[in-house]
């Protein structure tokens, strides 16, 4: 007679093996993305994952779905690396911590973002995760620099937050990196730009009395 606690273990085991296979295949796709590959034949992905081509299409309807799942997985992985940053204390400390974390995450994000740009119709899941990343990044800026932002009039606060957001997201990072800056120089440029924007709060508002 089967022990009551063992009932249902076989289906659970199959489910877990299926999940592991899907993740292994998605990770194989990510490794190709990280190497700058632009094309992803099923055979190459299967070889990298150590599985059969048939198993790839057992878990994914087509290669487009696999790319979507792999990209969403990478974005989730990068979001999991986000750690709390100081929201009080010297501005220098806060800017340095922000630039260090953003540089590390944005550099890791580059292969996935380039792949997204090549997709004709990114899945709803990918679009959702990208938007969540952008929204979270903007929220964190508002928290990290609340000391500088909160006392400002609403319009000036919004303008400054928009500027901070623009220079700390992937588009600016990719511009600096593709212009020839190495990671360290791009990180330094980001920090210097953030400092310059924050220094503007010490200046009179444009059009106001000096």
């Amino acid at each position: 007679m089967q022990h009551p606690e063992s009932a249902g273990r076989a289906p659970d085991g199959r489910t877990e093996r299926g999940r592991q296979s899907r993740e292994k295949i998605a990770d194989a796709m990510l490794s190709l993305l990280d190497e700058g590959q632009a094309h992803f034949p099923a055979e190459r992905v299967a070889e990298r994952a150590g599985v059969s081509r048939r198993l790839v299409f057992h878990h994914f309807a087509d290669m487009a779905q696999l790319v979507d799942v792999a990209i969403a997985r990478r974005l989730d992985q990068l979001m999991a690396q986000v750690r709390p940053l100081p929201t009080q204390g010297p501005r220098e400390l806060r800017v340095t911590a922000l630039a260090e974390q953003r540089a590390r995450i944005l550099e890791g994000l580059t292969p996935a973002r380039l792949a997204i740009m090549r997709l004709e119709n990114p899945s709803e899941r990918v679009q959702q995760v990208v938007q969540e990343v952008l929204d979270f990044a903007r929220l964190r800026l508002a928290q990290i620099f609340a000391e500088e932002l909160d006392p400002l009039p609403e319009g000036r606060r919004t303008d400054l937050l928009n500027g901070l957001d623009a220079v700390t997201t992937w588009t600016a990072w990719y511009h600096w990196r593709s212009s020839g800056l190495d990671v360290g120089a791009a990180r330094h440029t980001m920090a210097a730009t953030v400092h310059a924007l924050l220094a503007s709060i010490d200046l009179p508002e444009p059009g106001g009395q000096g």
Side-chain angles (χ1 to χ4, degrees):
M1 180 177 177
Q2 185 181 28
H3 192 284
E5 292 182 358
S6 68
R9 281 187 181 174
D12 289 345
R14 287 195 296 270
T15 299
E16 177 61 17
R17 286 194 296 274
R19 184 189 66 78
Q20 291 177 358
S21 292
R22 283 176 61 85
E23 290 184 355
K24 182 188 296 185
I25 294 166
D27 285 340
M29 172 67 78
L30 288 174
S31 73
L32 294 172
L33 278 174
D34 289 342
E35 292 170 7
Q37 300 289 332
H39 303 287
F40 312 101
E43 293 79 5
R44 184 181 300 173
V45 175
E47 180 181 5
R48 180 65 60 90
V51 301
S52 67
R53 184 179 186 277
R54 178 176 175 277
L55 190 61
V56 171
F57 290 111
H58 171 75
H59 289 293
F60 300 95
D62 51 35
M63 295 305 290
Q65 184 190 47
L66 172 53
V67 171
D68 274 356
V69 170
I71 290 173
R73 179 168 169 77
R74 171 53 52 81
L75 293 173
D76 286 339
Q77 289 171 346
L78 290 169
M79 284 295 287
Q81 294 180 26
V82 175
R83 297 292 182 267
L85 294 175
T87 58
Q88 296 178 331
R91 184 185 299 176
E92 177 70 32
L93 182 150
R94 288 177 284 138
V95 172
T96 298
L98 172 72
E100 187 283 325
Q101 185 175 91
R102 291 287 169 98
R104 175 167 42 81
I105 291 176
L106 294 174
E107 184 69 10
L109 179 63
T110 293
R113 288 292 282 133
L114 292 176
I116 291 171
M117 291 168 63
R118 293 194 294 267
L119 295 177
E120 293 184 5
N121 297 297
S123 71
E124 183 176 332
R125 171 58 178 156
V126 167
Q127 294 181 61
Q128 176 187 351
V129 175
V130 169
Q131 191 59 52
E132 288 174 357
V133 169
L134 293 173
D135 291 345
F136 180 78
R138 185 180 176 89
L139 174 63
R140 292 300 291 137
L141 288 173
Q143 295 169 338
I144 294 165
F145 300 115
E147 179 180 334
E148 290 81 7
L149 291 166
D150 289 353
L152 298 176
E154 183 177 353
R156 198 172 183 193
R157 179 185 186 279
T158 298
D159 288 342
L160 180 53
L161 183 56
N162 286 343
L164 292 169
D165 194 27
V167 301
T168 56
T169 49
W170 182 79
T171 302
W173 180 259
Y174 183 63
H175 169 75
W176 291 324
R177 293 287 283 122
S178 61
S179 296
L181 299 185
D182 63 21
V183 171
R187 181 177 62 245
H188 181 271
T189 300
M190 179 188 290
T193 307
V194 170
H195 274 301
L197 286 169
L198 292 171
S200 70
I201 65 175
D202 302 321
L203 302 174
E205 187 172 0
Q209 296 297 316

